Amino acid sequence: MLAKTMAFIKQNSRILIVDDTPANVFLLEQLLKISGYTHIVTLTDSREVVATYQTFKPDLLLLDLKMPYLDGFDILNQLNALENDDYLSVIVITAQSDKENRLKSLELGARDFIGKPFDHAEVIMRVTNLLEIRLLHNVTKQNNRLLEERVAERTREIENIQLELVNKLLIAAEFRDDDTGNHIIRIGQYAAVLGQLAGLSASHCQRLTPAAMMHDIGKIGIPDGILLKPGPLTAAEMAIMKTHTQKGADILTGSAGAVLQLGEVIALSHHEKWDGSGYPAGLAADAIPLEGRITAICDVFDALLSVRPYKPAWTMVNTLDLMTREAGHHFDPELLGLFLDNVDRFIKIRTDCN
């Protein structure tokens, strides 16, 4: 096993040698070749190191400290400035054995030292040891990456199962007062568009679509006699109806999934009003989560245009007139402005999803 590992290291490792003295470079290169290393690049001009390092991507750098133009410390500083989370394997080659230079080299990322004049066995041993560490680092890094990918994949699977179950609940809840179920689909699409107009990222808007669809999931806990009542609700009945926000949040709470967490926020906050007169918490203005403010606009727009047990569908003119008058009262005025300025996009969604 060890022999195979050593053979792999020698066949695959890339080594960069930097020393302004050609004789030193030649000697190190020959030592490494005799020992079986084949991928070796040498430099005597320190100004070429960074560019070569970026293209050659060495596994190990043998670096002289005392050089013209840029010394070894300058090179280490430049390499550290590169945006690179990789393990920087550097062996400093120097005749300067004083403590100060060694400490400075270590502070800048050097891993080991080789003194001049070279001891052949020592050079090969130190190179081999550092390349073994480099290999172990890469193996660990790859294993961690694979583990993260598997965890992420499993998390997505769990979240998809959760979303599927929630969607079943959504459909069951929505069919009780909307026999097409298209209302929740439209709300999700509206919310994503309005979120985009408000400057949310594409990934956030992608999560917002299913999350906004969950806004009324708490209605599954409202009795039919109240939910489907054809006339106005009494004060007591309205109090029960308002509990659907908290019921929805309770259904969705405790999830590790980002979509369900966002759905919980929306379920709880989509009936809050900009002026603080909404429910359940009486939040006002920016204290209302942005996603709740977005969903409030989308929900009222679609609900007014839809037939409900307690009302006929409104016309588009009357709907937009009411919403305009509610700027700064029910609705976030800035968000409503974005909605009204782009209302054709929302009308198209409604037309396409009827």
Side-chain angles (χ1 to χ4, degrees):
M1 186 67 172
L2 179 60
K4 288 183 178 180
T5 300
M6 290 308 306
F8 178 86
I9 288 174
K10 290 180 178 181
Q11 291 170 9
N12 294 277
S13 296
R14 297 178 301 278
I15 301 174
L16 175 61
I17 303 171
V18 181
D19 193 316
D20 64 306
T21 304
N24 288 339
V25 170
F26 177 78
L27 177 58
L28 286 170
E29 183 179 16
Q30 293 307 308
L31 284 174
L32 292 170
K33 285 183 176 179
I34 290 171
S35 297
Y37 293 98
T38 57
H39 303 291
I40 304 169
V41 170
T42 64
L43 293 174
T44 55
D45 188 336
S46 60
R47 294 169 296 185
E48 301 174 5
V49 174
V50 172
T52 303
Y53 188 93
Q54 290 177 301
T55 55
F56 182 53
K57 301 184 185 306
D59 298 295
L60 176 65
L61 170 61
L62 299 177
L63 178 65
D64 188 23
L65 279 186
K66 189 174 178 58
M67 295 181 290
Y69 308 118
L70 299 171
D71 64 21
F73 299 127
D74 294 326
I75 297 300
L76 288 171
N77 277 318
Q78 289 187 355
L79 294 178
N80 287 329
L82 297 176
E83 292 186 7
N84 190 349
D85 64 350
D86 207 353
Y87 183 90
L88 184 61
S89 298
V90 180
I91 297 179
V92 167
I93 304 168
T94 180
Q96 303 177 39
S97 59
D98 61 281
K99 184 177 180 180
E100 182 180 352
N101 281 319
R102 286 177 175 265
L103 287 177
K104 187 175 180 180
S105 299
L106 291 171
E107 288 174 358
L108 293 176
R111 308 293 176 179
D112 204 349
F113 301 90
I114 295 176
K116 296 179 183 178
F118 305 129
D119 180 285
H120 298 186
E122 181 186 10
V123 168
I124 299 304
M125 184 63 68
R126 293 186 184 278
V127 165
T128 300
N129 287 344
L130 211 53
L131 286 173
E132 285 181 345
I133 294 172
R134 163 81 174 189
L135 177 62
L136 288 173
H137 168 80
N138 287 341
V139 169
T140 301
K141 186 176 178 181
Q142 179 65 18
N143 287 341
N144 287 342
R145 184 182 298 113
L146 291 173
L147 181 60
E148 289 171 1
E149 290 174 356
R150 288 172 184 166
V151 169
E153 181 180 356
R154 182 57 180 159
T155 300
R156 286 192 298 269
E157 290 175 359
I158 293 172
E159 186 164 327
N160 286 338
I161 292 171
Q162 290 176 327
L163 286 174
E164 184 177 356
L165 292 173
V166 169
N167 282 334
K168 299 297 184 183
L169 286 175
L170 285 173
I171 294 170
E174 194 65 23
F175 275 3
R176 296 169 69 205
D177 66 344
D178 174 16
D179 60 7
T180 67
N182 286 343
H183 170 69
I184 57 173
I185 297 174
R186 292 192 295 265
I187 295 300
Q189 294 181 14
Y190 296 150
V193 172
L194 188 51
Q196 179 187 37
L197 293 171
L200 296 180
S201 67
S203 60
H204 197 133
C205 291
Q206 188 175 14
R207 293 191 295 272
L208 187 56
T209 298
M213 291 170 63
M214 302 174 194
H215 68 290
D216 274 343
I217 192 172
K219 284 184 176 179
I220 201 167
I222 303 300
D224 285 350
I226 295 174
L227 186 66
L228 304 179
K229 185 176 179 178
L233 298 179
T234 66
E237 290 169 337
M238 180 55 73
I240 294 173
M241 175 63 82
K242 287 181 177 181
T243 64
H244 82 276
T245 55
Q246 186 62 59
K247 290 180 187 296
D250 291 344
I251 289 171
L252 299 172
T253 193
S255 172
V259 172
L260 295 184
Q261 290 174 357
L262 186 57
E264 178 185 353
V265 170
I266 292 172
L268 189 61
S269 64
H270 73 285
H271 278 294
E272 301 287 359
K273 296 185 179 181
W274 185 258
D275 62 7
S277 64
Y279 63 90
L283 302 178
D286 291 338
I288 307 169
L290 174 60
E291 297 85 359
R293 285 178 269 147
I294 287 172
T295 306
I297 292 173
C298 300
D299 187 29
V300 170
F301 172 73
D302 199 76
L304 290 177
L305 292 169
S306 302
V307 175
R308 288 291 184 263
Y310 53 86
K311 74 166 191 69
W314 286 32
T315 66
M316 184 65 69
V317 171
N318 289 342
T319 295
L320 297 180
D321 178 62
L322 173 67
M323 294 183 71
T324 300
R325 286 187 278 113
E326 285 295 321
H329 300 292
H330 191 151
F331 306 121
D332 177 336
E334 185 176 347
L335 279 178
L336 183 65
L338 292 172
F339 178 89
L340 294 174
D341 288 344
N342 296 272
V343 71
D344 287 349
R345 295 178 66 177
F346 299 95
I347 293 173
K348 185 177 188 305
I349 291 173
R350 180 170 176 80
T351 301
D352 292 345
C353 188
N354 248 330

